[in-house]
Amino acid sequence: MRVLVTGGAGFIGSHVVEALAAHGHEPLVYDVRDDPGADVRDPDAVARALTGVDAVCHQAAKVGLGDGVRDAAAYVSRNDLGTAVLLAAMADHGIRHLVLAGSMVVYGEGRYTCPRHGDVRPGPRTVADLDAGRFEPRCPHCAAALEPALIGEDAPADPRNVYATTKLAQEHLAAAWARSTGGTAVSLRYHNVYGPRMPRDTPYAGVASFFRSALARGEAPRVYEDGRQRRDFVHVRDVAAANLAALEADTAPGALTAYNTGSGDPHTVGEMARALAAAHGGPEPVVTGEYRLGDVRHITADSARLRADLGWKPTVDFEAGMRSFARDELRAP
């Protein structure tokens, strides 16, 4: 199968390219890192790139929490306009298979249970609470302490920042394309991806890259809040394998299917920082109490649907992954 991989020279995209080639497919890289003219917002360039293509893995995106709403136009342009241009060209070319790089950020906060009210959806954390170091969401009905749990794909979307909003819009665009064309669309909702070729020294990378970049400079990783935020850290090679499985799956046409793509093994941000620092040989992380408005407290994946439907399972466990990542090569931002 000839597969166009947008963002194929990037962190995750480059691993997707390798996985496709290793399994007999013909990946074609479309990325502004390789060619400044390879912009997903350029209809003519996209149309040329799609000639003879059977499927698309759409990895190209502007990522990260960003700068409040000041860079909202850039996020919408790259993520949503770019996706719309790509989907329109796919429709014109009769290409009916799409795998989209989705994200856990569409959920906002993860799943929580209250001892009295069961599953609840806490609202955004307030500046006053964050300033006072009250990081844990409370039950919106009785203010009781909540227990975080794994979140499934049927949870309602509740994006809490600009980037998250654009990732949800990408899914809606892909779903509209699938309904209109009878195509198959899969959104892999990545959780915290880490591994070789992560970008270094950039505010738009994930927390694993922040810590790894600090360690490479001989600095202590700076852990926000109290370090007890729960995340699902999944290795990039496992994410690439999920893309391959989604591409080869017999997915129902005319709709978008979303899959959480995580390890299923939650760890706190503090645990990750300590494991990475220990594997690197120090220095020890520092818990700062600082926060970023728009961050969520806990978000961990229930990836049972991906395992059941596509036969995928992660192969890199947390401890081995951190040992490897402590020495992995990072790429320039």
Side-chain angles (χ1 to χ4, degrees):
M1 194 183 307
R2 273 188 117 209
V3 184
L4 186 72
V5 183
T6 69
F11 166 44
I12 297 175
S14 64
H15 288 273
V16 172
V17 167
E18 291 176 353
L20 291 172
H23 285 79
H25 299 288
E26 182 185 354
L28 305 175
V29 174
Y30 187 82
D31 197 307
V32 292
R33 297 173 185 85
D34 284 353
D35 176 3
D39 191 327
V40 288
R41 297 169 294 182
D42 183 335
D44 293 334
V46 170
R48 289 192 297 270
L50 288 174
T51 302
V53 165
D54 302 304
V56 174
C57 282
H58 184 30
Q59 307 293 317
K62 185 176 177 66
V63 300
L65 186 59
D67 184 21
V69 296
R70 293 180 181 87
D71 48 9
Y75 274 94
V76 171
S77 176
R78 292 180 181 274
N79 296 354
D80 299 338
L81 175 60
T83 299
V85 169
L86 174 67
L87 293 173
M90 289 175 64
D92 289 342
H93 281 71
I95 300 168
R96 298 293 181 262
H97 301 287
L98 172 71
V99 178
L100 173 68
S103 176
M104 65 177 187
V105 294
V106 301
Y107 298 116
E109 287 287 351
R111 180 184 167 206
Y112 293 87
T113 58
C114 169
R116 180 179 176 188
H117 294 99
D119 280 3
V120 295
R121 298 284 294 174
R125 297 179 295 170
T126 67
V127 171
D129 279 344
L130 293 169
D131 282 344
R134 295 188 292 269
F135 301 124
E136 292 289 348
R138 292 279 174 166
C139 175
H141 307 295
C142 66
L146 299 175
E147 182 67 26
L150 302 182
I151 194 164
E153 292 87 351
D154 294 330
D158 186 17
R160 300 282 172 97
N161 55 60
V162 168
Y163 169 61
T165 302
T166 66
K167 295 306 290 183
L168 182 59
Q170 282 186 309
E171 288 195 350
H172 288 318
L173 288 166
W177 167 84
R179 286 192 297 271
S180 174
T181 65
T184 63
V186 172
S187 178
L188 297 174
R189 291 176 175 170
Y190 301 158
H191 282 246
N192 287 74
V193 187
Y194 72 95
R197 301 198 288 273
M198 276 196 95
R200 59 173 171 78
D201 299 325
T202 168
Y204 295 97
V207 66
S209 178
F210 296 165
F211 296 163
R212 178 68 174 76
S213 296
L215 290 165
R217 297 190 301 267
E219 300 172 2
R222 294 177 61 82
V223 180
Y224 281 6
E225 301 186 17
D226 57 6
R228 296 191 178 98
Q229 312 93 295
R230 285 161 53 98
R231 296 290 187 269
D232 188 314
F233 299 100
V234 58
H235 197 274
V236 67
R237 285 196 293 271
D238 288 329
V239 169
N243 275 269
L244 178 68
L247 181 71
E248 295 178 340
D250 185 17
T251 308
L256 177 135
T257 304
Y259 291 108
N260 284 334
T261 307
S263 69
D265 181 25
H267 290 269
T268 69
V269 172
E271 286 173 341
M272 191 271 282
R274 290 190 294 273
L276 190 57
H280 191 272
E284 285 291 309
V286 175
V287 177
T288 68
E290 299 169 340
Y291 65 86
R292 298 191 304 172
L293 197 63
D295 266 345
V296 297
R297 181 60 174 173
H298 304 294
I299 176 73
T300 53
D302 181 351
S303 298
R305 180 181 293 178
L306 180 59
R307 296 175 187 233
D309 288 4
L310 304 189
W312 171 91
K313 63 178 181 180
T315 61
V316 182
D317 66 33
F318 178 78
E319 290 77 15
M322 288 298 120
R323 287 195 299 270
S324 173
F325 186 51
R327 303 300 174 189
D328 282 337
E329 181 181 355
L330 303 183
R331 66 173 174 83

